[in-house]
C-alpha cells in the first residue's frame, strides 16, 4: 500500500477566503511539509446555486498570496484530475448507485430546507435537524412518478462512532442523537457535501484530512460512508476555529477579514500569520 502523506485544502467558492480559512490551510500545509507530503487543492464548487467562477479565481489568488503552495489542483493539474467537484459528478453517481444497491439508503419525499443546504459543509450552527424517520419504510415503487425525492443515508440506530482526532484526541458521536439520517443525493441531481467529500478524499488518496473543528460531527457521518462504500478512511486532524472579537466563528460574511480586503489595506502575509498564530 502506498502510504505517502497526502493532504488537501478544499475551499468552496461561495465567497472570499478569510483569515479562518488561511489559518486552517496553513496548518494543513505545515503538517504536510513536515511529512514531505503532497498538498492537493480541491475546488468544492458542487453547490451550483452559490459557487461563482470569480470566487474560484479569487481563492486561488488569495491563498497563493498568503503563502500556500499546492502540488495538485485545478490550476496545475495532477494524477487525480479533475480537481473541481463540478467536473466529478460521474464518480459521485457511481458511489450513489453502490449505496442504493447495498441497501444503505432510502428514498425520501420530505421537503425541507436541509435538502437545499446539504451541498454545503455544515459549519457550526448550520447542522441539519435530526431526521424524524418519516420515510424510513418508503419503497421506490411507492413514489408516484414525477414526484421529487432525495436519497438519505440510514444511520445505524444508537451506534457510537469513535475516532482518534490528531488534535482533539478520542471522539465519540452517537448516531440518531448527534446527527440523523443525512442527505446523500438531492432530487435535483446533486450529491451532498458528505458524499462528494468522502468519494473525493478516497479517490485522491488523501491520508490526512485537516479542517476546522466545526466539521468534527461531519467526520462521524463520513466514517459511516467510508464503511458503507468499503473504503478505508484517512486520519483526521481538526483545527480550533478562529473567532472574531465577539467570539463568533469567522464566516464569509466577515468581509473586513477577507484576505483580499486585508491585502488591499496593506497587510502582509507575514503580519497576518503572526496575528493568527500569536
Ligand atoms: N468545502 C468545504 C468547506 O469549505 C470543505 C470541508 C472539508 O474540508 O471537508 O466548508
Amino acid at each position: 500500500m502506498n502510504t505517502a502523506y497526502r493532504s488537501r485544502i478544499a475551499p468552496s467558492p461561495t465567497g472570499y477566503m478569510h483569515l479562518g480559512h488561511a489559518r486552517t490551510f496553513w496548518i494543513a500545509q505545515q503538517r504536510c511539509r513536515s511529512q514531505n507530503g503532497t498538498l492537493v487543492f480541491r475546488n468544492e464548487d458542487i453547490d451550483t446555486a452559490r459557487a461563482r467562477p470569480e470566487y474560484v479565481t479569487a481563492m486561488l489568488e488569495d491563498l497563493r498570496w498568503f503563502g500556500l503552495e499546492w502540488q495538485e489542483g485545478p490550476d496545475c493539474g495532477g494524477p487525480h484530475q479533475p480537481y473541481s467537484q463540478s467536473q466529478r459528478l460521474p464518480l459521485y453517481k457511481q458511489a450513489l448507485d453502490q449505496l442504493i444497491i447495498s441497501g444503505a439508503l432510502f428514498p425520501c419525499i420530505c421537503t425541507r430546507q436541509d435538502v437545499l443546504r446539504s451541498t454545503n459543509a455544515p459549519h457550526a450552527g448550520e447542522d441539519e435537524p435530526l431526521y424524524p424517520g418519516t420515510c424510513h419504510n418508503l419503497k421506490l415503487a411507492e413514489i408516484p412518478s414525477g414526484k421529487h425525492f432525495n436519497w438519505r443515508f440510514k444511520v445505524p440506530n444508537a451506534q457510537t462512532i469513535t475516532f482518534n482526532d490528531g488534535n482533539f484526541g478520542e471522539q465519540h458521536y452517537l448516531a440518531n442523537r448527534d446527527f440523523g439520517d443525512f442527505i446523500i443525493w438531492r432530487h435535483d441531481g446533486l450529491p451532498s457535501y458528505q458524499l462528494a467529500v468522502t468519494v473525493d478524499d478516497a479517490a485522491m488518496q488523501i491520508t490526512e484530512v485537516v479542517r476546522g473543528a466545526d466539521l468534527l460531527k461531519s467526520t462521524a457521518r463520513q466514517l459511516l460512508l467510508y464503511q458503507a462504500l468499503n473504503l478505508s478512511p484517512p486520519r483526521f486532524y481538526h483545527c480550533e476555529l478562529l473567532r472574531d472579537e465577539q467570539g463568533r466563528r469567522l464566516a464569509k460574511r466577515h468581509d473586513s477579514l477577507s484576505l483580499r480586503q486585508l491585502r488591499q489595506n496593506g497587510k502582509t502575509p507575514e503580519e497576518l500569520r503572526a496575528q493568527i498564530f500569536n
Side-chain angles (χ1 to χ4, degrees):
M1 198 177 92
N2 186 359
T3 51
Y5 183 100
R6 289 175 61 81
S7 186
R8 53 39 162 210
I9 55 181
S12 301
T14 54
Y16 291 119
M17 295 289 100
H18 56 61
L19 275 183
H21 297 109
R23 184 178 189 278
T24 301
F25 297 162
W26 189 259
I27 295 172
Q29 173 162 286
Q30 281 187 313
R31 290 185 66 77
C32 191
R33 284 192 173 159
S34 74
Q35 303 283 323
N36 279 323
T38 301
L39 189 62
V40 175
F41 187 112
R42 189 168 64 232
N43 167 24
E44 302 221 319
D45 59 349
I46 204 75
D47 179 7
T48 42
R50 290 175 64 224
R52 299 228 305 257
E54 57 270 33
Y55 287 137
V56 179
T57 316
M59 68 191 189
L60 290 164
E61 227 173 75
D62 295 349
L63 294 174
R64 271 201 201 289
W65 169 78
F66 184 74
L68 289 158
E69 288 170 16
W70 45 92
Q71 290 74 52
E72 296 174 26
D75 54 342
C76 54
H80 299 279
Q81 305 202 67
Y83 289 92
S84 292
Q85 288 192 324
S86 59
Q87 293 167 26
R88 298 175 63 81
L89 275 173
L91 272 113
Y92 312 138
K93 184 72 180 46
Q94 210 180 347
L96 168 71
D97 292 341
Q98 189 183 336
L99 291 170
I100 294 173
I101 290 167
S102 70
L105 310 184
F106 62 94
C108 172
I109 54 172
C110 302
T111 53
R112 293 178 76 104
Q113 197 54 25
D114 46 292
V115 174
L116 285 178
R117 284 197 317 225
S118 63
T119 37
N120 305 319
H123 291 289
E126 295 164 359
D127 228 320
E128 50 185 278
L130 279 192
Y131 182 72
T134 323
C135 296
H136 262 176
N137 300 315
L138 187 65
K139 301 276 167 297
L140 205 48
E142 293 163 358
I143 301 177
S145 75
K147 177 138 182 92
H148 286 162
F149 66 93
N150 310 292
W151 287 104
R152 273 184 199 269
F153 187 84
K154 192 166 188 172
V155 303
N157 198 22
Q159 182 177 313
T160 302
I161 294 99
T162 302
F163 62 96
N164 199 6
D165 184 73
N167 189 24
F168 292 107
E170 197 158 287
Q171 302 292 308
H172 304 274
Y173 291 93
L174 189 60
N176 276 331
R177 183 197 65 189
D178 295 321
F179 59 90
D181 301 329
F182 53 92
I183 306 267
I184 288 292
W185 201 269
R186 292 168 33 157
H187 61 76
D188 55 2
L190 289 180
S192 67
Y193 154 73
Q194 307 292 354
L195 181 70
V197 84
T198 303
V199 167
D200 284 345
D201 284 336
M204 294 180 178
Q205 295 174 11
I206 300 304
T207 59
E208 183 175 73
V209 167
V210 178
R211 62 185 170 200
D214 50 349
L215 291 171
L216 276 162
K217 214 188 266 187
S218 284
T219 295
R221 294 179 176 97
Q222 290 161 29
L223 284 170
L224 290 175
L225 278 180
Y226 279 100
Q227 203 177 23
L229 288 164
N230 253 322
L231 298 167
S232 51
R235 293 185 297 279
F236 291 91
Y237 184 102
H238 291 81
C239 308
E240 283 89 1
L241 299 179
L242 199 60
R243 308 213 169 252
D244 67 7
E245 279 103 53
Q246 282 81 44
R248 291 173 306 180
R249 182 182 77 86
L250 295 191
K252 287 178 182 141
R253 58 186 174 271
H254 286 76
D255 269 351
S256 58
L257 296 176
S258 73
L259 295 179
R260 193 141 279 232
Q261 189 62 50
L262 292 162
R263 178 185 184 179
Q264 269 165 22
N265 293 350
K267 293 277 188 198
T268 66
E270 292 73 23
E271 281 170 337
L272 295 177
R273 290 203 292 269
Q275 181 186 331
I276 53 186
F277 290 107
N278 65 3

